[in-house]
Amino acid sequence: LVDHPDVVAAREAKRRQAPSASTPRIDEFYEAARKAGGLGGKLCGAGGGGYFMLFAPGKEAEVCEATLAQGLVPEPVLLDWEGLRVWR
């Protein structure tokens, strides 16, 4: 699915719209994660900080190992299918 021509074209179109949203180093992180079995990734944050979330169902250990080798610090997350909740 992620290598489908429409998905690749959409990813490239987004990169053309906001070329400063990525760097060669971020592209290296992304490719390392994909080679390890990750299906995709998303940058979150701005101004030189934030998170690079990766989706790798069934390949979590391999992608964590690849990100560690790139100097990143993996942090596991859980998806919440109920949406945003505020605690008070």
Side-chain angles (χ1 to χ4, degrees), residues 52-64:
F52 185 29
M53 296 188 296
L54 298 164
F55 185 61
K59 295 289 188 175
E60 295 89 349
E62 293 89 339
V63 171
C64 279

Side-chain angles (χ1 to χ4, degrees), residues 2 11-14 18 21 26 29 33 35-36 42-43 45 47 54 58 65 67 73 75 77-78 84-85:
V2 292
R11 184 171 46 225
E12 290 305 314
K14 191 170 188 175
I26 290 171
F29 295 153
K35 286 180 183 175
K42 171 78 173 133
L43 285 172
L54 298 164
E65 188 174 313
T67 58
V73 179
E75 293 186 28
V77 298
L78 297 173
L84 178 66
R85 291 181 281 167

Side-chain angles (χ1 to χ4, degrees), residues 3-55:
D3 291 326
H4 188 279
D6 291 343
V7 174
V8 172
R11 184 171 46 225
E12 290 305 314
K14 191 170 188 175
R15 288 181 61 160
R16 282 192 305 275
Q17 287 178 333
S20 64
S22 188
T23 66
R25 187 72 176 126
I26 290 171
D27 293 343
E28 289 175 19
F29 295 153
Y30 183 77
E31 286 306 314
R34 293 262 303 147
K35 286 180 183 175
L39 296 180
K42 171 78 173 133
L43 285 172
C44 298
Y51 283 86
F52 185 29
M53 296 188 296
L54 298 164
F55 185 61

